[in-house]
């Protein structure tokens, strides 16, 4: 594995960790594996989520023993006065992975206070590595990324998620979905919020909206979008913080105000 040298050691280590987890997920994809339920039938975790998370945390800890973690399967791992908190989704798109659907990724972000310094999203089956560094741009396999240039809402390819937890969140989601659907645009659901955000950063999608995303779903994607010239806010247009759940709208900037008006 050849790892190019980025501006921050944080990014180099995150890329290495993503490759380690990616090797595991690539080997596990399509095999028989243990699946357990979390909060409901569709909220599941596989043995590969856990193994990939362990691989990422162990790799990062080897280089940065004083850093803290917020990881989907392990929760919060605090360290006194940690200068950096790593936000990790070891397998975003678990339901896809469990159903042998080849759309999933690993998402890793390094956060100092509320500032995201490095963000890495890796799709191991396609070997697509999305990397962003604060102030140094966003890249897909070392090629600079820019968001799309679409300015008219009726030309936009938009992606979203549907929640399946509480009846209230399903209801809220139906409202925003039917408003966007009324524009008459095509809508895509990848089943991986992090990958959808990386696709906004790379101009494949013009926008993505998702109710109640967790920090590990959007932290790396947020930096990718901002470094690629996009905008990512709450449904109220406010800045979003990497350590809190958030209703998230990500766009190519040109479409932000127009789509925001449908979220209210
Ligand atoms: C899920 C995916 C999905 C989104 C869910 C997330 P997971 O993450 O990102 O697209 O709709 O809200 O929980 O469980 O596969 O890591
Ligand atoms: Ca996950
Ligand atoms: Ca996730």
């Amino acid at each position: 594995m050849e790892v190019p040298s980025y501006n921050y050691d944080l990014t180099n280590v995150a890329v290495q960790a993503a490759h380690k987890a990616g090797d595991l997920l690539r080997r596990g994809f399509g095999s028989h594996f243990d699946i357990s339920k979390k909060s409901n039938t569709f909220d599941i975790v596989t043995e590969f989520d856990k193994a990939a998370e362990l691989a990422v945390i162990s790799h990062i800890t080897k280089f940065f023993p004083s850093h803290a973690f917020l990881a989907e399967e392990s929760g919060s791992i605090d360290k006194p006065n940690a200068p950096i908190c790593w936000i990790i989704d070891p397998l975003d798109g678990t339901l896809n992975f469990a159903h042998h659907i080849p759309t999933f990724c690993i998402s890793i972000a390094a956060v100092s206070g509320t500032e995201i310094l490095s963000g890495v999203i890796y799709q191991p089956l396609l070997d697509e590595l999305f990397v962003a560094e604060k102030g140094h741009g966003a890249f897909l396999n070392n090629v600079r990324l820019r968001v799309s240039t679409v300015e008219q809402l009726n030309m936009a390819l938009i992606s979203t998620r549907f929640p399946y937890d509480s009846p209230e969140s399903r209801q809220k989601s139906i409202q925003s979905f039917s408003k966007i659907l009324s524009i008459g645009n095509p809508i895509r659901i990848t089943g991986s919020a992090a990958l959808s955000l990386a696709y906004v950063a790379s101009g494949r999608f013009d926008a993505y909206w998702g109710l109640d995303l967790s920090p590990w779903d959007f932290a790396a994607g947020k930096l990718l979008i901002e470094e690629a010239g996009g905008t990512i806010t709450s449904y109220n247009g406010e800045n979003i913080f990497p350590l809190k759940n958030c209703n998230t709208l990500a766009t190519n900037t040109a479409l932000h105000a127009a789509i925001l008006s449908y979220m209210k």
Side-chain angles (χ1 to χ4, degrees):
M1 172 204 353
E2 200 184 312
V3 179
S5 191
Y6 295 96
N7 295 283
Y8 305 143
D9 289 343
L10 294 170
T11 317
N12 287 315
V13 171
V15 167
Q16 289 163 357
H19 275 119
K20 289 205 168 216
D23 289 345
L24 273 168
L25 298 185
R26 206 180 299 110
R27 280 204 299 273
F29 181 67
S31 68
H32 290 286
F33 41 76
D34 288 343
I35 302 178
S36 359
K37 263 185 219 169
K38 297 205 281 188
S39 62
N40 65 49
T41 312
F42 297 108
D43 183 18
I44 53 170
V45 58
T46 73
E47 63 181 90
F48 283 98
D49 295 68
K50 295 176 187 165
E53 184 162 300
L54 194 63
V56 172
I57 294 178
S58 327
H59 186 77
I60 294 172
T61 304
K62 249 196 288 179
F63 290 87
F64 303 116
S66 65
H67 291 185
F69 293 92
L70 175 62
E72 180 172 16
E73 309 307 336
S74 319
S76 203
I77 305 174
D78 283 330
K79 303 265 175 70
N81 306 316
I84 297 290
C85 179
W86 291 88
I87 303 183
I88 297 163
D89 193 332
L91 200 185
D92 188 56
T94 296
L95 207 53
N96 284 347
F97 185 89
H99 283 255
H100 301 182
I101 297 167
T103 307
F104 55 87
C105 65
I106 298 132
S107 176
I108 303 176
V111 178
S112 164
T114 57
E115 190 165 49
I116 307 165
L117 300 177
S118 299
V120 171
I121 291 177
Y122 182 47
Q123 207 310 14
L125 296 183
L126 294 175
D127 198 22
E128 287 195 326
L129 180 71
F130 299 85
V131 177
E133 292 190 306
K134 182 83 189 169
H136 295 286
F139 301 84
L140 166 54
N141 293 347
N142 299 318
V143 176
R144 184 86 186 225
L145 291 180
R146 294 302 297 169
V147 291
S148 74
T149 53
V150 171
E151 289 182 354
Q152 284 172 280
L153 191 49
N154 62 3
M155 301 293 286
L157 181 59
I158 306 177
S159 175
T160 190
R161 71 169 287 244
F162 283 141
Y164 36 83
D165 44 9
S166 68
E168 295 74 39
S169 55
R170 292 202 294 271
Q171 202 48 44
K172 275 193 208 151
S173 213
I174 288 168
Q175 285 163 8
S176 49
F177 184 74
S178 65
K179 284 188 202 165
I180 298 285
L181 196 64
S182 70
I183 308 168
N185 292 37
I187 294 177
R188 294 287 180 269
I189 297 178
T190 63
S192 164
L195 212 50
S196 288
L197 293 174
Y199 287 3
V200 174
S202 55
R204 292 174 179 176
F205 290 149
D206 304 302
Y208 170 86
W209 87 97
L211 190 85
D212 197 28
L213 294 190
S214 299
W216 43 83
D217 294 322
F218 70 77
K222 179 177 190 287
L223 185 62
L224 274 158
I225 285 168
E226 289 173 344
E227 289 293 327
T231 300
I232 180 165
T233 67
S234 71
Y235 288 2
N236 297 324
E238 288 158 1
N239 191 17
I240 58 178
F241 294 102
L243 297 167
K244 269 174 55 182
N245 278 33
C246 188
N247 298 334
T248 305
L249 172 65
T251 69
N252 66 355
T253 301
L255 293 167
H256 208 78
I259 300 182
L260 206 53
S261 70
Y262 284 83
M263 296 290 124
K264 289 180 177 148

